[in-house]
Amino acid sequence: MSEPGYFSDHSMARRVMRKRAVGLTYGQRALVVGAVHPLLYVGTAENTAHRMTPYTRLALTGHLFEAVFLGTKTEADRALEFTKKKHAGVSGALPEDAGAHHPAGTGYSALDPHLMYMTMAFTFDSAEVMYDLLVRPMTDGEREGLYQDYVRWGELFGMPTSAAPGSYREFRASFDTYLASDELFLTDEACLVGSYLAGQRVPYPQRMPMRQVTSAFFLLVQGSLPPRIRRMYGMRWGTAEQIAYRALAQAVRTAHVATPLTPPVLRETLAGPSAPVYKLVSRREQELAAKGRPSMPGVDPRSWVERNSGEQRRAAVR
């Protein structure tokens, strides 16, 4: 008998997260949407060792999350301990104004209960949206089950239970209100990075058929975004894009619903861990880096402090 994990095979968390259509899309969508929260974006960007290798960081995060959702307790505990050590020293303050609600000097910390909750909220929201879109719509009971599993997931990473709404209905009302509020703000860098993550900007041309694969992936990510988020990024989205997006999503959903009609080779790829694909993306980024080609041209390799330390020294001399 294999060692159990924190989530059973019958839990909604495992049922949702082992679908590769979800595993390969929810993380990128969560980052694109989550970039509108200045404290989360700046806190991550200013305290990461992967500033110039963002896809490697995304792959690492995806691997850690999968270890907790899909792995044994031993695998999950290793991932949780690794994350705990990384988060221990993550704290600081916004170096510049980021909208009316986030003036310069506003503090952030990876251990802040509300920021932990918001990280969970963006992640859960994206998992729910992508499952509904690419697999099938969940029942009310399944949504509640998935939400409670995500609260448990947040707790494993250190989030106090009290930081999250008690039910899915309360969460959805609160989170949707937040997404419609004037608290959302994209810093210039967050907008640039999010544009790459959503495929709005493509730095290097790709050969067929990889170009078709990535274009389809980005179409699903962009189409799944709330319209307001697309507008904040200045994404072009018209009737043609909407029709193509709906047709592609329906095709993926049909492959899941009509599995007996799906070719065995494709059927076997629909479920399982997505970590192997994460590794491929990370490997491509490392190859680009070895050639001196940034995966996101235009993003400054230095943190805000590093960019401005020279100016501050010059000002002190004057």
Side-chain angles (χ1 to χ4, degrees):
M1 182 176 179
S2 61
E3 181 187 351
Y6 282 103
F7 299 95
S8 73
D9 286 339
H10 300 293
S11 66
M12 280 304 297
R14 286 208 176 191
R15 289 165 60 186
V16 169
M17 301 312 298
R18 65 188 171 201
K19 294 295 185 183
R20 286 203 175 103
V22 177
L24 294 175
T25 56
Y26 87 106
Q28 218 143 323
R29 181 189 185 275
L31 288 176
V32 173
V33 181
V36 303
H37 195 298
L39 294 178
L40 287 182
Y41 178 81
V42 173
T44 300
E46 292 293 300
N47 293 275
T48 179
H50 296 287
R51 188 171 178 82
M52 293 312 294
T53 51
Y55 292 102
T56 298
R57 179 173 64 82
L58 178 61
L60 174 61
T61 301
H63 177 72
L64 294 171
F65 286 4
E66 279 200 342
V68 178
F69 278 126
L70 305 179
T72 65
K73 286 188 176 181
T74 299
E75 292 168 334
D77 286 342
R78 281 200 298 266
L80 293 167
E81 183 61 25
F82 176 87
T83 305
K84 181 180 178 181
K85 290 179 179 178
K86 289 291 184 181
H87 284 178
V90 176
S91 63
L94 292 182
E96 300 174 308
D97 290 343
H101 292 270
H102 304 96
T106 303
Y108 61 78
S109 168
L111 303 182
D112 180 288
H114 180 67
L115 294 184
M116 286 183 174
Y117 161 67
M118 290 306 297
T119 300
M120 186 222 86
F122 286 118
T123 310
F124 165 73
D125 174 67
S126 286
E128 178 193 17
V129 167
M130 300 316 291
Y131 189 87
D132 278 349
L133 176 68
L134 301 176
V135 182
R136 64 171 177 81
M138 283 181 271
T139 66
D140 290 346
E142 288 172 334
R143 273 181 224 288
E144 185 65 45
L146 181 62
Y147 174 70
Q148 296 301 336
D149 282 347
Y150 258 88
V151 172
R152 171 60 175 151
W153 176 78
E155 291 172 355
L156 291 171
F157 280 100
M159 181 192 80
T161 308
S162 58
S167 69
Y168 169 78
R169 180 174 295 183
E170 292 173 292
F171 162 80
R172 182 47 62 193
S174 172
F175 191 69
D176 289 349
T177 297
Y178 166 75
L179 290 180
S181 75
D182 62 354
E183 292 186 47
L184 277 56
F185 186 87
L186 274 175
T187 65
D188 290 342
E189 183 180 282
C191 186
L192 179 60
V193 171
S195 295
Y196 279 118
L197 290 172
Q200 184 183 12
R201 294 172 183 262
V202 179
Y204 308 109
Q206 293 180 312
R207 297 179 179 179
M208 302 293 266
M210 187 53 65
R211 186 191 308 171
Q212 290 177 312
V213 173
T214 54
S215 294
F217 170 83
F218 287 134
L219 182 65
L220 291 174
V221 172
Q222 290 183 24
S224 71
L225 298 174
R228 184 187 181 193
I229 300 297
R230 285 200 297 264
R231 290 194 297 270
M232 290 180 70
Y233 280 102
M235 293 181 185
R236 174 187 171 185
W237 194 263
T239 302
E241 288 80 9
Q242 183 68 14
I243 291 174
Y245 157 69
R246 285 297 177 189
L248 178 58
Q250 182 60 54
V252 177
R253 192 161 55 243
T254 298
H256 286 89
V257 175
T259 49
L261 303 178
T262 306
V265 174
L266 177 58
R267 195 184 313 153
E268 292 172 2
T269 68
L270 295 177
S274 299
V277 181
Y278 300 154
K279 289 182 180 179
L280 291 176
V281 175
S282 177
R283 189 179 307 157
R284 170 172 167 73
E285 183 173 62
Q286 298 299 327
E287 291 171 354
L288 286 172
K291 297 176 182 177
R293 305 175 75 187
S295 57
M296 293 185 177
V299 176
D300 198 307
R302 301 165 299 171
S303 68
W304 189 92
V305 172
E306 291 169 335
R307 294 196 300 271
N308 290 274
S309 59
E311 181 63 31
Q312 291 169 351
R313 284 196 297 268
R314 287 191 291 273
V317 171
R318 292 196 296 267

